[in-house]
Amino acid sequence: MCDALIAVGGFDGSSDLASVESCFLPSSSTTWSLTDGMQTVRSAAGAAVSSGRVYIAGGSSGAVAHSTVESFSARAHPITSDVLQCEWRTEPPLSEARMAVSLTATEDGRLWATGGWTHGRGATATVESLARDADAWSAAPPMRTARCSFGAVELGGAVLALGGSGDAGPVDACES
């Protein structure tokens, strides 16, 4: 992995994006460079870094939520070191399509997909994990509060969910 800020996908005001942009640090310029895009156009996806790979999970294209997960290993281009080179691969899909999902990596190399928004149920409390080199996500106990569009971090081996939105409005609770 290289020292860069990386932005994946998103929404530009009229369309969902598959773009990947990077800005290398430290750098004398703050120039962002485009690189090989994602396989799936998506906004509102979860992203995390684990074992030198950037993982992107869920999200949506228009009104369609995704269960797809993809990842890339990134390195600086050997000639122009301020451009990112990506090697993409498809990962096991989430158990259900959801957007505004949080994706968190823990020290043991496991990925945790928490919460999100589904078309059938709205905000969800679903939690699932993917062990390194596993071929499917495993269900974990759900969060106490259904939420989407929230922050999640690893703290002492646990995933801490912070804030977000629920079906009734803002969520002002934290849980692990």
Side-chain angles (χ1 to χ4, degrees), residues 51-119:
S51 302
R53 297 193 70 80
V54 176
Y55 291 82
I56 303 104
S60 66
S61 298
V64 177
H66 297 296
S67 62
T68 58
V69 180
E70 55 192 299
S71 72
F72 65 90
S73 61
R75 58 181 163 68
H77 190 281
I79 297 170
T80 58
S81 61
D82 61 345
V83 176
L84 196 65
Q85 281 190 316
C86 301
E87 296 174 17
W88 289 94
R89 75 178 181 212
T90 301
E91 303 292 344
L94 299 171
S95 63
E96 69 179 326
R98 48 196 162 138
M99 60 173 62
V101 60
S102 285
L103 192 65
T104 309
T106 50
E107 289 180 9
D108 61 2
R110 188 175 289 270
L111 292 172
W112 295 87
T114 51
W117 190 89
T118 64
H119 287 291

Side-chain angles (χ1 to χ4, degrees), residues 29-63:
S29 86
T30 54
T31 303
W32 287 82
S33 300
L34 282 171
T35 190
D36 300 331
M38 293 184 289
Q39 299 164 2
T40 303
V41 172
R42 62 177 93 214
S43 62
V49 176
S50 180
S51 302
R53 297 193 70 80
V54 176
Y55 291 82
I56 303 104
S60 66
S61 298

Side-chain angles (χ1 to χ4, degrees), residues 7-29:
V8 294
F11 183 74
D12 68 3
S14 62
S15 301
D16 294 301
L17 306 172
S19 61
V20 175
E21 298 180 56
S22 61
C23 179
F24 283 82
L25 302 171
S27 175
S28 58
S29 86

Side-chain angles (χ1 to χ4, degrees), residues 141-167:
M143 293 185 291
R144 290 184 299 277
T145 305
R147 62 181 80 206
C148 61
S149 302
F150 63 99
V153 297
E154 185 270 338
L155 182 64
V159 176
L160 180 63
L162 307 133
S165 296
D167 291 332

